[in-house]
Amino acid sequence: MVADKSGGVALKGSLAALGSAFGFAVFTVALRWGRTGEMLPAVFLSGIFAIAITLAICFGLDLSLVLSPNDGGIAMAMGVFQVSAGLILYTLGSRSLPAAELALLSLAEVLLGPLWVWLFLGETATVNTLIGGAVLLAAIAGNALSGKRRKPPPITAP
C-alpha cells in the first residue's frame, strides 16, 4: 500500500497508520482478554487516550486547538456516529468472535474507502491500493466460506 509513496510526509503518514493499526490491535486483544466482564468502559478509556495523544501532538507541533463551528460540528458528528457507535458495536461483537476474525471483519470497512473518495472527491485509486483491497476481500471471503469458525460445544443432557 505504501510501495509507490516516497518523501517525508508519506513516511510520517505511514508511521501514523502503523501506530493506529498497533493501537487497534491492542484494543482488540484487550477486548477479547476481558470478554467475560463489561468492556464498554474500554471504549471510553480509548477516547481519553486519543484525546491525550492528540493534545500531545498538537502541542508538540504548535497546532491550534480552536475549531470553526462548521469543523466542530463535523468532528462531533463523526465522533458520535462514526467512531463511538462503531466501537460500541465492535466491543459488543468481541464477546463472541475470536480476535483474529474480529479484526479481519473490521477490515471490510477499509475496502469501501477508495470507493467513497472516488464517488465524492473524484480521487482515483492506484494499482497497489486495488491489489491491497483484493487481498483483503479474498481474506474476508475465504474466512467466511471456509466454515472454520469456532463451533459452540454441543448441549448435553445431564
Side-chain angles (χ1 to χ4, degrees), residues 55-152:
L55 284 173
I57 290 170
C58 287
F59 287 137
L61 297 175
D62 199 28
L63 299 172
S64 173
L65 297 175
V66 179
L67 295 175
S68 70
N70 183 49
D71 288 347
I74 291 170
M76 291 292 286
M78 287 183 68
V80 170
F81 297 109
Q82 182 187 16
V83 177
S84 298
L87 285 178
I88 288 169
L89 293 173
Y90 189 80
T91 300
L92 294 174
S94 71
R95 292 180 180 165
S96 57
L97 290 176
E101 189 171 342
L102 191 64
L104 183 63
L105 288 174
S106 72
L107 291 175
E109 175 190 6
V110 177
L111 289 173
L112 295 176
L115 176 66
W116 300 137
V117 296
W118 173 68
L119 283 175
F120 295 110
L121 303 175
E123 183 178 316
T124 57
T126 64
V127 172
N128 286 345
T129 301
L130 296 175
I131 291 171
V135 169
L136 283 176
L137 184 59
I140 292 169
N143 182 54
L145 296 172
S146 72
K148 299 235 185 223
R149 294 190 72 204
R150 188 173 37 133
K151 307 274 189 282

Side-chain angles (χ1 to χ4, degrees), residues 12-84:
K12 289 178 185 177
S14 296
L15 290 175
L18 185 61
S20 175
F22 177 75
F24 193 68
V26 169
F27 178 68
T28 300
V29 171
L31 287 176
R32 287 295 296 161
W33 183 57
R35 71 182 175 271
T36 57
E38 181 59 50
M39 292 304 290
L40 282 177
V43 175
F44 177 75
L45 190 58
S46 70
I48 298 298
F49 285 146
I51 290 170
I53 291 168
T54 301
L55 284 173
I57 290 170
C58 287
F59 287 137
L61 297 175
D62 199 28
L63 299 172
S64 173
L65 297 175
V66 179
L67 295 175
S68 70
N70 183 49
D71 288 347
I74 291 170
M76 291 292 286
M78 287 183 68
V80 170
F81 297 109
Q82 182 187 16
V83 177
S84 298

